[in-house]
Amino acid sequence: MNRTFISLLVFLLGIAALQAQTIDYKGTSIELGPHAFYVDGSLTEEEAAASPYLFQTLNEAVLHLHDGTPSNPMRVYIAPWVYWIDDPDDPAVRTGENGRPPIGLTVRCESLQLLGNCNDPRKVVLASARGQTQGASGNFTMFDFYGNDLVVRDLTMGNYCNIDLEYPWKPELERRKRNSAITQAQLAFCHGDRILAENVHFMARLNLCPLAGAKRILFVGCHMECTDDSLTSTGVYLGCDFDFWGRQPFGSVDRFGTVFLDCDFHIRHNEPIQAVSKSCGRISLIDCRYDSGGRPLELVWTFRPEEWLRCYQYGITKDDMPVMIGAAKPWNTVFMDRKTTLSAFRLVNEDGSVLYNTYNLLRGEDDWDPQGIREKVRALGLRDTQEYARIANCLDLTHRKAALQTGGETVTINASVLRHGGYPIDNQEIHWFVESGFERFVSLSTIIGSSCTVTPANHEDATQTFGLFARTDEGLEAAVEITVAPDFVEPPSFLTPPRIILTASEAQLDYALDLGGRKDESLITWY
């Protein structure tokens, strides 16, 4: 056999090996190809060069991504290792462009799946270690994802600017925090819809940003560590656990509702109050548990709740005891016990187990079913003669406050019944009524309907502030804070003209008005 033939044979065998190269993914043989990459930080350069689908770093793999589809996604399998998305040893300060935060890695790909090749998400770590004023000018963010149908599974996203990176499987990959002073060190922005994170650890402190910005996103079995202004406002969080090192993990929540199902909250700070959000917004907590370590802890929706705020709770405990969130202003809290709207979030199977209704919450108008429970939900609906796949969880009003003057213009409040994500649904009647004791100060032109016109009718002297409420039979509530001032009246005539009476130490104004029994509201200015 001559040398030329042997060389040709080796070349052809090499081509065949490339075409048939496979990896083991949790016991399943996966053939690599244009839509199946493998990233392994332990590979040598020579080993990675053996295939166009093998990479030592995620950053290199991202340069070669192809758009996938829901039926044929772009999959990137990632071996256990610590992958630095941004070089922590580079002394250069990261800056953003066009007023945006500095970004570690921008990823543009439709139907991308990042899949850790392990069951323990701590073994596959996507890491950075920069934050505001600590290696960056601005709120450094590790990822900026563009694309729909992103899946992240079985891995860790961590910004180790202010926390230590521990990696006991290979201690030489560990790294100490950049700085003990907590700063804004973020993980990921997400510009897309239908996002799923499953068995992922999101690690940082201030401004965690776990895939923040997604239109619809489901977190399943994820672990998150953060201080304030951190969580994804549009999220549905199912079976997740949280370590809260700050008092208000949300900076804001979504107008159409943020949802927690069967979650655990571990309070790691020593403050006496734990809020959900810095600002007012709709939050739904179902079957969730707070762990304070047995110390006194007040739970509130926000530190400055507005009168209009309505949040929903069911089955909430603190240290294994039932608890009400926001007890100081009980009208802010809607208990869903025995309310039909509870079925928007949870259903009960034949065996008594709970099925969390993520299909109803996330289906939108394209029937997205990230957990594949559509048929189970429909079967339970047939059993109970109920439609469990189109249940609203938000009653939204066009106004949150309205100020009226008697004798002046009216105001019309419009209501929308919505499913999670802001999808309208027209299957519920809306009932309007005024806070008890204030009915005489307004008249309502609609009692049942999607809009209500409010006419001011305050014929007393003092301005009145009270609530206008909207409710559905299924248990949704919303409120508007109404302020009604009295009508302007003609100035009264003098029965006794004003005169100043001087004494040794003071001056007094003496007068009498024809008030017709009304209270004297005169403003007297001395100069």
Side-chain angles (χ1 to χ4, degrees):
M1 188 178 293
N2 63 42
R3 184 173 297 175
T4 301
F5 179 77
I6 293 173
S7 297
L8 179 59
L9 180 61
V10 170
F11 175 76
L12 292 175
L13 289 173
I15 293 295
L18 289 180
Q19 292 175 340
Q21 186 156 9
T22 61
I23 62 165
D24 179 79
Y25 175 65
K26 300 183 179 180
T28 300
S29 181
I30 301 294
E31 183 174 341
L32 301 184
H35 281 86
F37 291 176
Y38 192 58
V39 178
D40 188 343
S42 70
L43 294 176
T44 65
E45 291 185 5
E46 292 76 14
E47 289 170 332
S51 167
Y53 313 123
L54 287 175
F55 303 92
Q56 291 176 293
T57 70
L58 180 63
N59 296 52
E60 179 66 21
V62 164
L63 296 176
H64 300 84
L65 296 176
H66 307 281
D67 281 343
T69 65
S71 60
N72 184 26
M74 177 71 237
R75 294 187 174 98
V76 180
Y77 302 93
I78 309 173
W81 198 258
V82 174
Y83 301 91
W84 287 98
I85 305 305
D86 172 272
D87 182 0
D89 295 317
D90 183 352
V93 174
R94 303 292 189 255
T95 58
E97 298 180 355
N98 302 319
R100 296 196 69 217
I103 301 296
L105 180 63
T106 298
V107 182
R108 300 178 185 273
C109 187
E110 294 292 326
S111 297
L112 172 64
Q113 297 188 358
L114 301 180
L115 307 171
N117 194 6
C118 61
N119 292 319
D120 186 342
R122 298 173 299 169
K123 291 183 177 181
V124 177
V125 181
L126 312 182
S128 61
R130 295 180 187 272
Q132 173 70 276
T133 73
Q134 298 176 20
S137 177
N139 296 357
F140 180 84
T141 307
M142 184 163 60
F143 286 108
D144 199 12
F145 289 102
Y146 290 81
N148 297 318
D149 300 297
L150 172 67
V151 174
V152 184
R153 183 178 288 128
D154 299 328
L155 55 79
T156 291
M157 289 186 177
N159 191 325
Y160 297 95
C161 185
N162 306 131
I163 56 177
D164 292 335
L165 195 168
E166 298 177 353
Y167 198 80
W169 303 274
K170 198 173 181 61
E172 57 266 37
L173 298 180
E174 296 185 342
R175 189 180 183 90
R176 301 280 76 80
K177 69 188 76 172
R178 181 184 286 266
N179 200 306
S180 295
I182 304 299
T183 192
Q184 294 94 332
Q186 304 176 168
L187 294 182
F189 296 139
C190 187
H191 312 271
D193 193 10
R194 301 182 301 273
I195 312 300
L196 173 62
E198 189 170 12
N199 194 31
V200 176
H201 285 204
F202 296 96
M203 308 286 290
R205 286 297 182 264
L206 185 58
N207 288 33
L208 180 70
C209 288
L211 301 170
K215 179 172 175 55
R216 285 174 291 170
I217 180 167
L218 174 63
F219 297 93
V220 181
C222 294
H223 171 74
M224 304 188 189
E225 296 188 15
C226 62
T227 59
D228 297 340
D229 302 345
S230 289
L231 299 182
T232 301
S233 64
T234 54
V236 173
Y237 300 83
L238 170 60
C240 298
D241 71 279
F242 302 81
D243 285 353
F244 288 155
W245 296 90
R247 301 189 305 163
Q248 42 196 16
F250 280 103
S252 61
V253 293
D254 189 63
R255 175 166 188 150
F256 307 118
T258 303
V259 178
F260 294 87
L261 308 168
D262 190 29
C263 292
D264 289 279
F265 308 116
H266 306 283
I267 311 305
R268 302 304 189 191
H269 59 78
N270 293 315
E271 298 292 331
I273 302 177
Q274 178 67 48
V276 180
S277 176
K278 177 183 291 184
S279 62
C280 286
R282 293 184 181 90
I283 304 158
S284 300
L285 269 66
I286 294 89
D287 295 334
C288 293
R289 299 157 293 277
Y290 281 85
D291 169 25
S292 71
R295 63 183 179 83
L297 182 71
E298 181 184 358
L299 303 178
V300 299
W301 299 111
T302 180
F303 285 103
R304 292 169 292 278
E306 299 279 0
E307 299 300 303
W308 56 262
L309 179 64
R310 294 297 184 274
C311 294
Y312 298 83
Q313 77 167 69
Y314 175 86
I316 307 303
T317 63
K318 182 179 78 72
D319 300 325
D320 299 322
M321 296 296 293
V323 66
M324 177 181 182
I325 303 174
K329 288 190 172 183
W331 52 87
N332 291 148
T333 302
V334 179
F335 284 90
M336 289 191 288
D337 305 66
R338 297 182 298 280
K339 292 185 185 292
T340 305
T341 191
L342 182 60
S343 299
F345 306 99
R346 77 192 298 272
L347 303 170
V348 179
N349 292 309
E350 293 287 352
D351 61 1
S353 62
V354 173
L355 176 67
Y356 291 102
N357 200 354
T358 57
Y359 174 56
N360 173 74
L361 293 170
L362 295 165
R363 65 178 298 193
E365 299 298 345
D366 55 12
D367 213 36
W368 187 42
D369 182 22
Q371 291 193 289
I373 63 171
R374 179 190 299 112
E375 295 309 317
K376 292 182 180 179
V377 172
R378 288 176 175 171
L380 292 174
L382 290 173
R383 178 196 68 183
D384 301 335
T385 63
Q386 299 287 335
E387 173 56 274
Y388 288 146
R390 290 185 62 82
I391 303 178
N393 68 319
C394 172
L395 178 57
D396 189 56
L397 304 183
T398 53
H399 295 67
R400 290 176 170 173
K401 295 183 179 182
L404 302 171
Q405 175 83 47
T406 303
E409 295 182 354
T410 63
V411 64
T412 298
I413 313 294
N414 295 310
S416 300
V417 179
L418 305 159
R419 290 182 290 120
H420 181 78
Y423 296 93
I425 185 169
D426 185 19
N427 65 355
Q428 298 188 30
E429 289 187 339
I430 301 169
H431 306 269
W432 302 84
F433 57 98
V434 175
E435 183 178 346
S436 179
F438 294 89
E439 294 87 351
R440 65 185 182 280
F441 298 112
V442 291
S443 62
L444 307 181
S445 63
T446 301
I447 302 302
I448 301 177
S450 61
S451 66
C452 177
T453 299
V454 183
T455 301
N458 182 1
H459 302 296
E460 300 181 8
D461 293 329
T463 296
Q464 302 291 331
T465 300
F466 49 89
L468 170 66
F469 305 129
R471 288 180 183 168
T472 69
D473 294 332
E474 287 77 6
L476 296 174
E477 296 187 17
V480 181
E481 185 178 290
I482 301 289
T483 300
V484 181
D487 195 2
F488 290 111
V489 296
E490 292 297 321
S493 58
F494 284 100
L495 297 175
T496 303
R499 64 191 183 98
I500 295 175
I501 301 174
L502 297 174
T503 65
S505 59
E506 64 181 13
Q508 294 181 343
L509 181 66
D510 180 66
Y511 68 94
L513 295 171
D514 184 8
L515 294 172
R518 301 173 68 93
K519 182 180 178 181
D520 188 352
E521 298 283 355
S522 300
L523 175 64
I524 300 170
T525 303
W526 293 86
Y527 60 96

